[in-house]
């Protein structure tokens, strides 16, 4: 069973619009990582969240981990075509070894100019 | 430049012909891992290594072998490839198996087994 659920699976937005992608688990997350992937290419690390309630921003992308550490959201403000790609969340579900991450299936984002 | 390098980037081969996908990192990372990515299934871990000479199975290890004789290299070996191993493969590394650091990924190897 998929332990990290991402929603939506795909998203098409008009350039300039805001959007949110969610990553949800039924278990506590010990470290939540957001990556971006261009189709067929490698994963680019965006942000890491660790503490409940933590929020981080990089340029126009903001990610937050909820207080219970079971859900994270990725918010893009004023989207641009360069934001298009697949966004993946990865997380360690066990507090012991955080090296072994599981990943959501990804959210495919398209930005229409 | 800090990076994870995979080779080859693309490979088309036939069933049963042994192949090796190399992975090398120049960041002195202890932890390395292999994933495969398939449509609808996402990223799944094949094998991982906590350090030199320490390897362990991930979620989908069947049909694969790995070795970690040196810290920087973590090759993925398909002894007898089959069509169901057609996939996009990623190697990743991180500084240590513990604590909070991101995994750094290679650019991927697209493997087609005919």
């Amino acid at each position: 069973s998929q332990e990290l659920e991402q929603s939506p699976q795909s998203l098409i937005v008009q350039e300039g619009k805001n959007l949110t992608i969610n990553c949800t688990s039924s278990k506590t997350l010990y470290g939540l990582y957001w990556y971006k992937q261009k189709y067929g290419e490698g994963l680019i690390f965006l942000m890491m969240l660790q503490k409940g309630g933590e929020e981080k921003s990089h340029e126009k992308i903001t990610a937050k981990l909820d207080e219970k550490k079971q859900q994270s959201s990725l918010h893009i403000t004023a989207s641009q075509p360069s934001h298009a790609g697949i966004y993946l969340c990865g997380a360690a579900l066990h507090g012991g070894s955080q090296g072994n991450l599981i990943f959501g299936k990804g959210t495919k984002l398209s930005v229409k100019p | 430049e800090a990076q994870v390098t995979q080779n080859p980037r693309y490979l088309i081969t036939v069933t049963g012909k042994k192949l090796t996908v190399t992975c090398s990192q120049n960041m002195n990372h202890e932890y390395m891992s292999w994933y495969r990515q398939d449509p609808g299934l996402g990223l799944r871990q094949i094998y991982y290594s906590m350090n030199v000479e320490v390897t362990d199975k991930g979620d989908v290890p069947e049909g694969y072998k790995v070795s970690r004789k040196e810290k920087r290299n973590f090759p993925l070996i398909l002894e007898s490839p089959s069509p169901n191993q057609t996939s996009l493969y990623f190697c990743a590394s991180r500084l240590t198996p513990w604590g909070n650091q991101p995994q750094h990924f290679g650019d991927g190897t697209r493997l087609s087994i005919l």
Side-chain angles (χ1 to χ4, degrees):
Chain A
S1 64
Q2 187 68 24
E3 295 184 271
L4 273 186
E5 296 285 343
Q6 279 188 244
S7 62
Q9 290 184 359
S10 64
L11 193 53
I12 302 174
V13 299
Q14 197 70 41
E15 183 177 357
K17 295 294 187 183
N18 303 336
L19 64 106
T20 300
I21 297 169
N22 294 304
C23 177
T24 303
S25 173
S26 58
K27 302 179 181 179
T28 301
L29 304 171
Y30 293 94
L32 188 287
Y33 303 83
W34 282 102
Y35 288 87
K36 179 186 175 185
Q37 181 184 23
K38 290 285 189 182
Y39 179 74
E41 297 181 12
L43 280 69
I44 300 168
F45 170 70
L46 296 175
M47 276 172 278
M48 176 183 73
L49 303 166
Q50 186 182 350
K51 301 174 185 176
E54 185 175 10
E55 182 173 314
K56 287 187 178 178
S57 294
H58 175 68
E59 297 179 344
K60 293 185 178 180
I61 301 177
T62 301
K64 184 174 181 179
L65 184 61
D66 75 341
E67 290 291 341
K68 289 187 178 179
K69 294 172 62 174
Q70 289 185 302
Q71 180 171 326
S72 177
S73 58
L74 184 87
H75 184 77
I76 298 178
T77 303
S79 58
Q80 301 170 356
S82 60
H83 287 128
I86 300 171
Y87 289 81
L88 294 117
C89 62
L93 297 184
H94 305 284
S97 169
Q98 296 204 28
N100 293 347
L101 303 182
I102 63 167
F103 288 85
K105 293 183 179 180
T107 295
K108 184 178 179 182
L109 172 64
S110 301
V111 180
K112 294 167 59 177
Chain B
E1 181 188 350
Q3 59 186 3
V4 178
T5 304
Q6 295 178 228
N7 279 297
R9 291 290 316 280
Y10 305 91
L11 180 62
I12 301 173
T13 188
V14 295
T15 299
K17 187 176 181 182
K18 180 180 178 181
L19 67 93
T20 299
V21 185
T22 63
C23 174
S24 180
Q25 49 91 7
N26 62 359
M27 296 168 280
N28 202 35
H29 284 178
E30 292 182 356
Y31 179 94
M32 297 185 75
S33 180
W34 276 103
Y35 296 87
R36 60 178 289 175
Q37 187 178 37
D38 301 287
L41 297 175
L43 272 169
R44 293 178 294 168
Q45 190 178 50
I46 304 170
Y47 267 95
Y48 64 94
S49 170
M50 297 276 203
N51 213 325
V52 176
E53 301 291 4
V54 181
T55 64
D56 210 342
K57 296 177 180 179
D59 297 320
V60 288
E62 294 78 21
Y64 304 95
K65 286 174 60 177
V66 292
S67 69
R68 188 91 183 273
K69 296 177 182 175
E70 308 163 279
K71 201 171 190 178
R72 63 182 293 127
N73 296 323
F74 190 45
L76 180 70
I77 304 156
L78 284 72
E79 292 272 3
S80 183
S82 61
N84 64 12
Q85 292 178 299
T86 292
S87 186
L88 180 58
Y89 291 85
F90 289 102
C91 179
S93 73
R94 58 182 276 161
L95 184 60
T96 67
W98 319 102
N100 293 309
Q101 318 113 23
Q103 290 196 22
H104 300 265
F105 284 80
D107 289 335
T109 295
R110 188 169 290 281
L111 219 49
S112 294
I113 315 294
L114 305 177

